[in-house]
Amino acid sequence: MKKESAALRFVLLEDDPNDAELIQLELARNGVQVEWSHVASKPTFLDALQAGDKPDLVLADYTLPGFDGLAALKLVLELCPDVPFIFVSGSLGEERAIEALKSGATDYVLKDRLQRLPTVVNRALTEARERRERRQAEAALEEQRLLLGTLIDSLPEIVYAVDTEGRLTVVNRALLDTLRKKRENVIGKRLSEVWQEETIVEIEAQAANTIRTGRSLTDQERAWITADGSVRWFTFTHVPLRDHGTVNGLVCTVREITNQKALEQEILEISNREQRRLGSDLHDGLGQELTGLSLLLKGLEMQLSREAQQYTAQITKITDLLAHAIQSTRSLARGLAPVNLERGGLPEALKHLAARCTDMYSLQCSFSYGGQKLPDLEEGAATHLYRIAQEATTNAARYARAKAIDIDLRASGRKLQLTITDDGIGLSAGLAQGRPGMGLKIMEYRSRMLGGTINFDEPGKGTRIVLSAPLHLLRQTKPKRLAVGG
């Protein structure tokens, strides 16, 4: 690339020396610094085009002996198509001028109007420079596009971009492999048109909301049953694409976390099994032993009432204390293993929770169960649901100063919904008073483990907590998990 101060190299195809001198003088008079290559035949013209760097401009007469300007133009278009070509002729009529421009000439100047030549030359050089810079910018953009495409194609996560209409504009290899489709069969379509999963419709709705609000959506977990009946888990992230502040699309990523969720579930299940074991030991071990001791005391109390009545009062006190210990042991055992699938399952456990909440906090806590018949739930899932209800009722009683709490469980369609409503001071007021918020995070975590969502609302008075989860992820007999990447 020439420096700004360097002279321009022009090739002048002209058989008349006088005309050639006039052309050179006209440009020199207007301050254009030029290194001239004056030629008058085809061989010398070819040599001038191919000698060293390409010329910056070609000026040519239209009619020459044995070699015409159109033939010269054809050679320039073949050898250096970026170089401007200007006809300078005295015999160029209107029809020939139009023909020359259609053939690829940049412009033309009549010899009797050479005063136009500097303007035409400067314009041609400017346009050539702009075209060259535009091509360089396009080449740089294409290079970046190829680099970006290579990078996202190498990622194990699914990456794609959509426009404001939700149509795919960029997809990476991971998505194409998942869909088992070619790129040209995916670009321009909506994700739900090429990915036949029920959850995708919900994801598209979230993407539309992100485009509307401009707020990113990160690490949203979703689970679905694949064609072979296995459960797979994914996280979705939506990040708005902006052009001068206006959202014009989204970049979306999908990451499979099936193995991670399986590990988390196993860790929780280990904890739940240990709690159930402790609860069983308390109930069947210590609880039974205390019950046996209570029966012995009853016998002793009856005997002492006949033989040594002075000890009856003390025995009665011991019996009452032992009865209280038995009740505490049973409560503790029930707390460690709150859901017994063989004795009423989740509905019965929530019924006991409502009764215990009423007794413990001296308020009205009720449980209602409606909708379609609840299928048999997996014990870990049922325990998650119970713990969420337990945390919600505890928060309402202790921190929200509620007087009434309602626990509602119902199955509808393919969803299970658990709703806890109270008439307390509200969630915001409780948090504003510095109440602990870890319980809310644990409730959210448990809902994600169930593949569901949980919402915290304040409908004018009190708080309403609604958990919604897909029933197929909660059933007692779950299909075997598919290995990741299957």
Side-chain angles (χ1 to χ4, degrees):
M1 184 177 180
K2 289 184 173 62
K3 296 181 179 180
E4 293 291 335
S5 59
L8 299 170
R9 191 169 83 84
F10 288 1
V11 174
L12 175 59
L13 178 61
E14 174 60 65
D15 62 331
D16 188 333
N18 293 324
D19 288 346
E21 184 178 0
L22 288 174
I23 291 170
Q24 294 175 24
L25 288 173
E26 184 64 38
L27 290 177
R29 186 164 52 247
N30 284 272
V32 180
Q33 297 182 8
V34 180
E35 177 186 317
W36 290 96
S37 295
H38 178 206
V39 296
S41 64
K42 181 177 180 179
T44 55
F45 183 68
L46 282 171
D47 290 342
L49 292 180
Q50 297 172 336
D53 293 337
K54 292 180 181 180
D56 295 292
L57 183 75
V58 174
L59 301 167
D61 196 357
Y62 188 81
T63 304
L64 296 96
F67 185 50
D68 62 75
L70 288 177
L73 173 60
K74 185 176 180 181
L75 288 174
V76 171
L77 293 176
E78 291 176 357
L79 299 176
C80 39
D82 297 336
V83 175
F85 189 102
I86 299 174
F87 279 112
V88 183
S89 175
S91 58
L92 195 64
E94 183 177 351
E95 291 185 3
R96 287 182 175 179
I98 294 173
E99 180 187 3
L101 295 175
K102 287 182 178 180
S103 298
T106 305
D107 211 332
Y108 69 92
V109 176
L110 298 177
K111 288 183 178 179
D112 58 358
R113 297 182 182 177
L114 285 180
Q115 65 274 13
R116 291 186 59 246
L117 185 59
T119 301
V120 172
V121 166
N122 286 330
R123 183 170 63 244
L125 292 173
T126 299
E127 292 174 353
R129 184 179 66 253
E130 291 174 349
R131 285 194 300 271
R132 184 169 59 252
E133 292 173 350
R134 186 164 56 249
R135 279 194 296 272
Q136 290 172 349
E138 290 172 352
L141 285 174
E142 178 64 16
E143 183 178 348
Q144 291 182 1
R145 188 190 69 80
L146 290 174
L147 175 61
L148 181 60
T150 302
L151 286 174
I152 67 171
D153 272 343
S154 67
L155 294 174
E157 294 85 0
I158 291 173
V159 180
Y160 62 92
V162 297
D163 59 19
T164 54
E165 299 298 322
R167 302 196 177 278
L168 294 163
T169 57
V170 175
V171 295
N172 76 334
R173 175 54 51 190
L175 177 57
L176 295 175
D177 290 344
T178 299
L179 300 176
R180 298 178 182 177
K181 295 181 183 293
K182 295 182 178 180
R183 200 179 305 268
E184 58 269 21
N185 297 328
V186 171
I187 296 297
K189 296 183 178 180
R190 299 179 65 85
L191 189 63
S192 57
E193 295 174 345
V194 295
W195 199 344
Q196 304 301 322
E197 290 287 351
E198 179 184 352
T199 311
I200 297 299
V201 176
E202 186 178 343
I203 292 167
E204 282 191 328
Q206 290 179 332
N209 185 63
T210 300
I211 291 175
R212 184 173 62 256
T213 62
R215 292 193 295 270
S216 298
L217 189 69
T218 59
D219 293 334
Q220 293 293 303
E221 293 183 359
R222 290 289 181 271
W224 60 68
I225 303 294
T226 61
D228 65 353
S230 59
V231 180
R232 298 178 72 178
W233 288 84
F234 297 87
T235 61
F236 291 81
T237 297
H238 297 156
V239 178
L241 286 172
R242 301 180 187 275
D243 183 12
H244 296 90
T246 301
V247 176
N248 59 5
L250 293 179
V251 172
C252 310
T253 61
V254 182
R255 181 167 59 91
E256 183 161 5
I257 56 170
T258 304
N259 279 352
Q260 175 185 327
K261 295 295 287 189
L263 180 59
E264 291 178 0
Q265 188 64 47
E266 182 61 26
I267 293 172
L268 284 175
E269 184 56 32
I270 290 171
S271 175
N272 288 336
R273 283 199 300 267
E274 186 63 16
Q275 288 187 22
R276 288 195 296 271
R277 185 189 67 78
L278 290 173
S280 178
D281 289 347
L282 283 172
H283 184 274
D284 299 334
L286 180 60
Q288 294 300 326
E289 292 174 359
L290 289 175
T291 300
L293 184 58
S294 176
L295 292 174
L296 291 175
L297 277 174
K298 282 290 185 182
L300 180 60
E301 182 180 10
M302 293 176 62
Q303 184 177 353
L304 289 176
S305 66
R306 292 193 300 268
E307 301 176 3
Q309 294 186 359
Q310 66 271 25
Y311 299 112
T312 302
Q314 288 85 344
I315 291 296
T316 301
K317 289 181 180 180
I318 295 173
T319 302
D320 291 341
L321 289 173
L322 188 56
H324 181 73
I326 292 173
Q327 184 61 37
S328 297
T329 301
R330 288 174 177 172
S331 296
L332 184 58
R334 186 178 294 115
L336 289 170
V339 181
N340 190 317
L341 298 181
E342 297 178 356
R343 294 197 295 270
L346 179 62
E348 188 66 21
L350 292 177
K351 180 179 177 182
H352 281 295
L353 174 64
R356 184 167 179 269
C357 183
T358 297
D359 293 340
M360 182 177 294
Y361 300 112
S362 300
L363 50 74
Q364 181 59 44
C365 184
S366 61
F367 169 67
S368 56
Y369 175 39
Q372 65 193 43
K373 184 179 182 298
L374 189 68
D376 292 336
L377 301 181
E378 192 269 333
E379 188 170 3
T383 301
H384 281 313
L385 291 164
Y386 177 88
R387 296 299 186 195
I388 289 172
Q390 184 181 45
E391 181 69 29
T393 54
T394 300
N395 286 343
R398 289 184 177 178
Y399 306 131
R401 301 197 293 273
K403 299 300 181 184
I405 303 173
D406 177 65
I407 305 171
D408 180 76
L409 178 70
R410 61 187 58 247
S412 177
R414 287 177 287 184
K415 294 282 189 180
L416 181 141
Q417 184 170 295
L418 174 65
T419 305
I420 303 95
T421 308
D422 69 70
D423 63 351
I425 62 175
L427 182 65
S428 299
L431 293 177
Q433 294 178 15
R435 303 304 184 189
M438 183 56 69
L440 301 182
K441 292 182 174 62
I442 294 175
M443 292 165 71
E444 290 174 340
Y445 177 78
R446 290 186 183 278
S447 70
R448 289 197 301 271
M449 291 301 298
L450 298 171
T453 58
I454 188 166
N455 294 311
F456 303 90
D457 299 323
E458 295 180 274
K461 181 181 180 182
T463 301
R464 180 172 58 223
I465 299 173
V466 181
L467 179 141
S468 180
L471 278 171
H472 65 263
L473 296 178
L474 311 178
R475 294 183 186 277
Q476 190 174 25
T477 54
K478 289 186 177 179
K480 183 179 179 181
R481 285 186 176 89
L482 179 71
V484 177

